[in-house]
Amino acid sequence: MANGLVRLLIYSLGVLSIANRASGDAPSFQSILANDNIEVHVAGQAGYQNASRAFNLRLQLQPAAIAYPGSVEEVSDLVKAGASLGIPVSARSGGHSHAAYGLGGTDGHLVVDLAHLNDIEVDNSTGIAMIGTGSRLGDIAIRLFNQGGRALPHGVCPLVGIGGHASHGGYGFNSRLWGLTMDNIIGATVVLANGSIVEASATQHPDLFWAVRGAAPSFGIVTHFQFQTFVAPTQPTYFSYNWSLPLDQSIEAISLYQDFSFAPSIPKEIGFELNLYKGVEQGEILLNFLGSYYGNPDEYDAIVKPFLDVMPNPTFSPQVEVTTWLENMELLAGPGVPLASTPTSIAANHDSHYTKSLTTPSDMPMSQEAITALASWMSAEGWRTKTYWFVQLELYGGNGSQIDAMLSNATAYANRNALWILQLRASSPTHLPPYPEEGFAFVDGLVNSITTNVPDKYQYGAYPNYVDPRLTPKEWHKLYYGTNYRRLRKIKTQVDPNGVFTFPQSIPPLQ
Ligand SMILES: Cc1cc2nc3c(=O)[nH]c(=O)nc-3n(C[C@H](O)[C@H](O)[C@H](O)COP(=O)(O)OP(=O)(O)OC[C@H]3O[C@@H](n4cnc5c(N)ncnc54)[C@H](O)[C@@H]3O)c2cc1C
Ligand SMILES: *[C@@H]1O[C@H](CO)[C@@H](O)[C@H](O)[C@H]1NC(C)=O
Ligand SMILES: *[C@@H]1O[C@H](CO)[C@@H](O)[C@H](O)[C@H]1NC(C)=O
Ligand SMILES: *[C@@H]1O[C@H](CO)[C@@H](O)[C@H](O)[C@H]1NC(C)=O
Ligand SMILES: *[C@@H]1O[C@H](CO)[C@@H](O)[C@H](O)[C@H]1NC(C)=O
Ligand SMILES: *[C@@H]1O[C@H](CO)[C@@H](O)[C@H](O)[C@H]1NC(C)=O
Ligand SMILES: *[C@@H]1O[C@H](CO)[C@@H](O)[C@H](O)[C@H]1NC(C)=O
């Protein structure tokens, strides 16, 4: 099998380059592929273009090939084939990387799409779930709930894949209560650069287990994660409040939101964010306070009262709904977005955007100067730009947060002591290409308004799930990994010395 596949790829790529040199005609691979049961799409072939589409249409890449293995052994065969041909290999799960790293981030990768490895099984006696990394978050929520009322903490967008999400964090409104998605991984099946298939856990290959939780794509292809799941809350409370406010009141509101984020009274059962958009009238900012409470619904009002009491009356009528677990997930996904994936929903799901992130320290508030500069940029430039933009201030820390309960060296993911993680995004007005060049400067300006107005001791970082391909190596080493970066390089040298898993922000082996 392995040899057959290697021959297939050598033959395919060889024919392609010869054909291109001779005439530019795309060769037919159908006869060769018919002899192999791994579905492979190579340039020029029907299906290649569709298979090489990124969620972020701003980035259009030409992979060497996209393969859809049906088993762990076939993943291993593909990795060995890529390694022997000297082609970098990249895993794709849900394809939602903001930098199209599921396609390798640059042309010429062998993409191993895990779509067929989408099993989701719960062991009823332990609550441990075995999840194939081709699974998407909405399908996972449904399948876990239907197998004994179980749940995991994770993001709200149903089509995000578990492979990238769990490998780089994984934040949902229940993460203060249960931790990041990755914090609940108890084991991983990993295909290494030499094709060997290993189980990584606290007791087996512990270095690899540490590295996978923060930087998996540099170390191997995870085919399955084992998670410790939770009993799903019975009556979650969804909430959403909106204000459209002029600049001075927006500055005040963001400061009040910061005070509330630091309040010792908030229990870990509540999760929320403040989303900022272009407002209703010229210069205004729309502030959306959104989240969920997972405790007894009778306690909800008293928890949010200290914040709502000091805010103006909402501009639009608030939405507060007590529902079942899956209905709560549907509300968070947004209107018209089904939880279960379908070929149609996957094909229609895209954006054309640029995203940056900032993690803010939990031991120091953001300065008044930074809040003022950020709000002023949104109020002025936010009305000038043609892009569709938003800024999210997501609460990761605060009283009782389980995300911060782990040491920053417990996993390769390092940004444990963050109060907020900010996501700052500008999309093309139609969410389709072309992407307006001014979008980069607009987003850079949002981030710079903060970073140039805080003292040196304000230790900010960046969130690797909001991956930013425009960070320099020096920046991303520090902002994503801090002091964990050195240990990652040592482990990389042991498990992938030749860099089979290489992409623009992969961990390099030591020289
Ligand atoms: C619409 C949208 C909503 C989002 N909402 C949230 C949110 O609420 N909370 C949050 O925390 N994040 C959120 N994110 C960010 C999201 O978590 C990341 O983009 C995530 O990395 C995407 O994972 P993926 O598997 O879909 O992407 P992919 O592009 O498939 O993969 C992302 C990276 O992980 C690697 N990778 C994927 N699978 C594997 C594997 N099996 N083994 C090894 N490496 C692998 C890829 O090679 C690539 O480098 C959102 C993103 C989008 C686009
Ligand atoms: C686990 O429990 C659920 C419901 O409680 C049941 O539907 C399912 O069949 C059980 N699975 C196994 C493997 O026993
Ligand atoms: C802080 O959170 C914990 C855990 O959720 C909770 O028990 C405690 O009551 C909170 N602190 C205060 C002062 O309310
Ligand atoms: C608040 O504003 C957001 C963003 O415009 C919108 O999606 C949401 O429906 C609004 N919610 C309420 C309760 O007004
Ligand atoms: C395109 O790819 C998606 C998966 O991303 C698949 O569901 C769909 O059927 C494909 N469409 C075509 C025309 O091949
Ligand atoms: C992690 O950090 C803690 C506290 O800073 C330290 O005691 C411990 O030795 C560190 N662990 C490793 C593996 O470096
Ligand atoms: C594959 O690589 C791993 C990690 O470096 C090593 O432990 C293992 O012995 C290698 N296997 C083979 C067959 O070379």
Side-chain angles (χ1 to χ4, degrees):
M1 163 62 85
N3 284 339
L5 187 74
V6 172
R7 271 200 307 278
L8 157 74
L9 275 165
I10 293 173
Y11 185 76
S12 304
L13 296 164
V15 169
L16 186 64
S17 61
I18 292 162
N20 283 346
R21 253 179 282 137
S23 66
D25 288 346
S28 160
F29 299 102
Q30 295 313 114
S31 55
I32 315 163
L33 291 177
N35 298 329
D36 201 293
N37 57 14
I38 304 180
E39 180 189 342
V40 183
H41 298 280
V42 183
Q45 215 193 20
Y48 170 83
Q49 212 174 349
N50 185 29
S52 52
R53 189 183 72 97
F55 169 84
N56 186 355
L57 297 174
R58 181 172 71 77
L59 300 157
Q60 309 210 341
L61 298 174
Q62 301 283 313
I66 302 113
Y68 294 84
S71 67
V72 181
E73 290 69 31
E74 289 183 356
V75 173
S76 166
D77 291 342
L78 286 161
V79 171
K80 283 187 266 191
S84 67
L85 288 166
I87 301 173
V89 180
S90 291
R92 180 168 64 180
S93 169
H96 275 57
S97 165
H98 297 295
Y101 285 169
L103 292 169
T106 54
D107 289 343
H109 287 240
L110 170 58
V111 177
V112 178
D113 188 301
L114 298 151
H116 296 322
L117 305 186
N118 60 356
D119 43 322
I120 300 168
E121 296 296 335
V122 181
D123 177 334
N124 282 354
S125 61
T126 59
I128 293 172
M130 178 73 98
I131 300 184
T133 50
S135 310
R136 296 175 190 259
L137 302 183
D139 297 321
I140 291 171
I142 294 170
R143 298 277 299 279
L144 292 183
F145 190 74
N146 289 344
Q147 295 178 71
R150 309 299 297 187
L152 276 175
H154 55 69
V156 300
C157 177
L159 295 179
V160 166
I162 194 72
H165 195 64
S167 294
H168 302 96
Y171 169 85
F173 293 120
N174 41 15
S175 287
R176 283 174 27 83
L177 177 61
W178 291 339
L180 297 170
T181 313
M182 71 158 53
D183 299 340
N184 301 292
I185 300 174
I186 58 169
T189 306
V190 189
V191 175
L192 299 177
N194 61 10
S196 62
I197 300 165
V198 300
E199 298 298 326
S201 69
T203 52
Q204 297 166 280
H205 300 278
D207 279 351
L208 179 67
F209 186 54
W210 180 84
V212 156
R213 292 171 298 158
S218 294
F219 295 88
I221 296 184
V222 180
T223 62
H224 293 84
F225 282 122
Q226 267 180 286
F227 291 100
Q228 182 63 59
T229 63
F230 298 87
V231 176
T234 49
Q235 290 185 287
T237 304
Y238 165 94
F239 53 92
S240 175
Y241 301 80
N242 281 345
W243 298 262
S244 185
L245 301 176
L247 177 59
D248 54 342
Q249 287 186 53
S250 294
I251 294 168
E252 174 69 10
I254 296 169
S255 299
L256 292 169
Y257 174 74
Q258 174 161 261
D259 295 344
F260 188 57
S261 300
F262 274 114
S265 63
I266 56 172
K268 62 179 185 289
E269 288 79 10
I270 194 166
F272 51 75
E273 66 193 11
L274 189 69
N275 300 311
L276 307 167
Y277 308 86
K278 190 167 154 177
V280 175
E281 302 287 340
Q282 174 78 38
E284 285 186 356
I285 298 169
L286 185 89
L287 298 92
N288 168 234
F289 176 58
L290 177 76
S292 285
Y293 176 59
Y294 301 101
N296 180 342
D298 294 341
E299 297 159 354
Y300 167 74
D301 283 334
I303 294 166
V304 293
K305 191 176 186 312
F307 178 57
L308 296 178
D309 276 357
V310 291
M311 287 288 285
N313 285 331
T315 315
F316 306 95
S317 25
Q319 192 184 355
V320 179
E321 292 194 37
V322 179
T323 67
T324 64
W325 171 247
L326 289 180
E327 285 164 350
N328 176 266
M329 300 289 302
E330 278 165 12
L331 284 167
L332 290 170
V337 182
L339 278 189
S341 70
T342 62
T344 320
S345 70
I346 293 168
N349 193 232
H350 65 261
D351 195 357
S352 176
H353 67 285
Y354 175 56
T355 285
K356 289 183 90 68
S357 71
L358 208 58
T359 72
T360 72
S362 60
D363 57 357
M364 189 189 280
M366 187 182 286
S367 67
Q368 204 55 41
E369 291 77 8
I371 291 174
T372 301
L374 172 66
S376 303
W377 189 265
M378 291 187 284
S379 167
E381 298 304 320
W383 277 82
R384 214 163 284 152
T385 175
K386 297 264 184 301
T387 61
Y388 169 84
W389 59 268
F390 66 76
V391 174
Q392 295 180 312
L393 315 179
E394 300 180 316
L395 182 69
Y396 274 59
N399 176 49
S401 174
Q402 293 308 294
I403 301 174
D404 290 356
M406 283 173 94
L407 289 175
S408 61
N409 64 5
T411 55
Y413 176 88
N415 288 311
R416 290 294 172 179
N417 295 306
L419 179 74
W420 293 336
I421 292 193
L422 278 70
Q423 180 177 195
L424 314 100
R425 182 187 305 181
S427 302
S428 82
T430 57
H431 300 277
L432 289 167
Y435 187 74
E437 200 57 31
E438 50 114 354
F440 297 111
F442 175 68
V443 176
D444 289 345
L446 289 168
V447 171
N448 293 343
S449 65
I450 298 170
T451 55
T452 59
N453 284 292
V454 290
D456 286 343
K457 57 180 192 267
Y458 190 77
Q459 289 291 315
Y460 59 86
Y463 180 38
N465 255 335
Y466 300 156
V467 68
D468 176 0
R470 287 170 70 250
L471 293 175
T472 64
K474 204 170 159 226
E475 286 170 335
W476 70 258
H477 298 166
K478 176 163 184 287
L479 297 176
Y480 295 160
Y481 297 114
T483 53
N484 289 343
Y485 182 67
R486 260 189 72 78
R487 185 173 168 199
L488 281 169
R489 288 198 68 178
K490 279 192 208 152
I491 302 170
K492 175 76 172 181
T493 312
Q494 286 156 15
V495 299
D496 184 17
N498 301 321
V500 173
F501 302 112
T502 295
F503 58 98
Q505 293 182 349
S506 56
I507 307 293
L510 293 165
Q511 294 310 312

